[in-house]
Amino acid sequence: MAAPKPVGMKQLFGEAGQSHQVHQLKSRVEELEAELTQLRSGALDSQEKAALEQQIEELTSQLAATGGTHEISLSLIDPDPNQPRATFPKALIQERSESLRRHGQKTPIIVVPQADGRYILFEGELRWRAATLLGWKTLKAVFLLEEKTEDEENIFEGQLVTSIHSQKLHDLDLAAALIRLITHRYPYFENQEKTIPKTLKAAIRRFERSGQLSELSEIRIANHEEQQQWLESVGFKQPEEQDIFAVLLGLQLHPVSISNNIFPLLDLPEDLKQVIKTEGIESSKARELSKLTAEQLEVSETKARAIRADVTEKAIQEKLSLTQIKTLVKDTLKQHQTTNSTTKQPKVAEKTIKAIQSIELQEIEQDQLEELRQALKNKLQEIERMIGVS
């Protein structure tokens, strides 16, 4: 039996001569891609949600009427790699799976057929995850063959803006999305993504020393022309700094908040990142749990991961508040840290060595470099005297 044929835009409205209608549907598809992020986040009020769901239902009906409804194997379906949201808490998936179990699938999902025989989700990722949890083998689906007029990164940026405004995108998803957007806008950052947070932090420190930090709150909400004038006149030390600020301010994000609260999440241990994606744990709680490192616990990395997993599980199961988690982390550290001063002494030296090695000299002004050189010189002389005495 021949495989079902994907439905293209032109098939929805006939052949040539109706290109205006084709263009209208293309535009509507692109708008829906961004708006779907809001629907997934649950950020819309009841009236907005009902209107958007109606639009999706109409598109689904058009596709079903033209190309039919098909049973698609769940194993052949992949989530949309171009949407910023990657966090789907288990509780939300379980809630939808119970609805599917009780009432069945009322509306087909929309998928985009791929050349290799697989399908990318356009709409319905929560139902797909819920059906997988139930052990279903297939889902009803309609096909959409996208004939894009915009590149994927432009659509991704639209999804990101929508997600930011909905204030429901998890901070970890936002951090990853910003790195991707900055890298797309300025390709010279490719393979150097880890330098973006460091470059931003260096610029913020310099603004703080020069007293320019207070300007960011106003320029963040200024119009595009005012932001451009500020970016060109403020005096960035490196062009990379200006490019990063341009992206953040263009999204009306405060660079200080991104530097202090968002980008640090990229350095979380992978186990905590996974917990965020599956449990939706708040970023503030994840940052607190990340303090349970091998170094702080004075145990091996394997042991530290096990301890962190146990504490994290307790925090989730008992629905602990941030204050309670802070107390739990503090108590856990006390419990595992050794009190033997002879074993602690070497760690002081190790931390000092690491601190010196991690100094980013390019972030330090010229006059402060001289002060640092003199301080290190004095300390070196002191060390030499101690070695000589011993």
Side-chain angles (χ1 to χ4, degrees):
M1 179 177 177
K5 187 177 180 181
V7 179
M9 298 295 185
K10 293 179 181 178
Q11 289 174 270
L12 290 172
F13 292 110
E15 300 301 325
Q18 301 185 36
S19 60
H20 178 66
Q21 289 175 300
V22 172
H23 176 72
Q24 282 185 323
L25 184 55
K26 283 183 181 179
S27 300
R28 189 69 203 111
V29 166
E30 288 161 3
E31 290 171 14
L32 280 172
E33 284 186 303
E35 291 170 354
L36 280 171
T37 305
Q38 281 186 299
L39 182 61
R40 291 165 181 150
S41 71
L44 302 178
D45 61 34
S46 57
Q47 185 174 358
E48 292 171 326
K49 183 176 179 180
L52 181 54
E53 287 178 334
Q54 178 63 33
Q55 292 166 359
I56 295 169
E57 186 176 334
E58 290 173 0
L59 175 62
T60 304
S61 297
Q62 285 180 308
L63 294 171
T66 307
T69 301
H70 311 279
E71 289 283 341
I72 302 298
S73 172
L74 296 184
S75 63
L76 295 177
I77 300 174
D78 299 310
D80 179 4
N82 294 313
Q83 72 149 314
R85 187 182 182 191
T87 300
F88 288 87
K90 287 181 180 177
L92 186 61
I93 298 173
Q94 289 171 345
E95 179 182 335
R96 182 54 63 92
S97 66
E98 180 60 20
S99 175
L100 285 178
R101 188 185 67 79
R102 293 187 183 190
H103 308 294
Q105 183 188 359
K106 299 296 185 183
T107 307
I109 59 174
I110 304 176
V111 295
V112 182
Q114 304 298 294
D116 60 1
R118 300 187 65 80
Y119 304 88
I120 296 292
L121 276 162
F122 175 79
E123 195 279 323
E125 181 165 352
L126 185 56
R127 273 170 286 165
W128 171 68
R129 289 175 179 267
T132 302
L133 181 63
L134 287 173
W136 287 11
K137 301 301 181 183
T138 63
L139 274 176
K140 297 184 184 70
V142 293
F143 293 164
L144 173 66
L145 182 61
E146 294 183 280
E147 300 167 9
K148 290 185 180 291
T149 57
E150 298 182 65
D151 66 46
E152 290 179 347
E153 292 300 331
N154 286 337
I155 293 174
F156 173 81
E157 184 173 347
Q159 291 176 315
L160 177 56
V161 170
T162 302
S163 299
I164 290 171
H165 289 172
S166 73
Q167 298 182 339
K168 289 294 183 179
L169 192 66
H170 195 282
D171 289 344
L172 179 60
D173 292 342
L174 176 58
L178 289 174
I179 295 295
R180 172 177 167 176
L181 182 58
I182 292 169
T183 304
H184 169 67
R185 290 264 193 94
Y186 306 102
Y188 61 79
F189 277 118
E190 287 183 9
N191 302 318
Q192 301 183 54
E193 289 86 352
K194 289 186 177 180
T195 67
I196 294 174
K198 293 180 180 179
T199 303
L200 176 61
K201 182 179 289 187
I204 289 173
R205 286 175 177 171
R206 197 167 57 257
F207 284 158
E208 188 174 15
R209 290 195 296 269
S210 64
Q212 295 174 292
L213 212 56
S214 59
E215 301 174 14
L216 289 174
S217 295
E218 291 187 10
I219 205 65
R220 180 181 69 85
I221 57 176
N223 61 44
H224 178 71
E225 289 73 19
E226 291 174 329
Q227 286 185 350
Q228 283 300 117
Q229 291 175 4
W230 184 85
L231 288 167
E232 293 169 4
S233 64
V234 73
F236 286 100
K237 189 174 181 179
Q238 303 174 24
E240 293 86 349
E241 296 175 348
Q242 181 172 333
D243 293 341
I244 295 170
F245 270 73
V247 172
L248 299 181
L249 293 176
L251 294 170
Q252 294 186 310
L253 297 173
H254 200 302
V256 175
S257 177
I258 296 300
S259 181
N260 293 343
N261 304 317
I262 305 302
F263 278 162
L265 296 175
L266 296 171
D267 295 325
L268 286 176
E270 289 302 319
D271 55 310
L272 285 180
K273 289 182 180 179
Q274 190 59 37
V275 169
I276 286 175
K277 292 179 179 179
T278 58
E279 302 292 343
I281 187 171
E282 296 94 326
S283 54
S284 57
K285 294 180 179 180
R287 283 196 296 267
E288 195 64 30
L289 291 165
S290 71
K291 294 178 180 179
L292 297 173
T293 63
E295 182 179 12
Q296 291 297 319
L297 291 164
E298 300 182 357
V299 297
S300 68
E301 187 61 45
T302 301
K303 180 66 174 175
R305 282 197 298 270
I307 294 171
R308 195 162 55 236
D310 289 341
V311 174
T312 300
E313 182 67 18
K314 179 179 177 65
I316 293 171
Q317 293 299 323
E318 298 183 13
K319 296 182 173 59
L320 299 183
S321 65
L322 177 59
T323 300
Q324 290 172 320
I325 290 176
K326 286 182 176 181
T327 300
L328 180 58
V329 168
K330 184 177 180 180
D331 291 344
T332 303
L333 288 172
K334 283 183 178 180
Q335 178 184 347
H336 289 85
Q337 286 172 342
T338 177
T339 57
N340 190 327
S341 59
T342 59
T343 60
K344 282 191 172 235
Q345 284 300 322
K347 291 189 177 293
V348 174
E350 291 173 10
K351 290 180 180 179
T352 304
I353 293 170
K354 287 182 179 179
I356 294 173
Q357 292 174 334
S358 65
I359 294 174
E360 298 285 349
L361 296 178
Q362 66 269 23
E363 297 181 6
I364 303 176
E365 300 290 347
Q366 193 65 36
D367 57 342
Q368 292 181 318
L369 279 173
E370 177 58 33
E371 293 178 15
L372 176 62
R373 187 188 72 82
Q374 188 60 48
L376 290 174
K377 181 180 179 180
N378 294 340
K379 187 59 65 175
L380 180 59
Q381 290 174 346
E382 184 179 343
I383 292 172
E384 289 173 345
R385 287 196 297 271
M386 292 180 67
I387 293 175
V389 170
S390 62

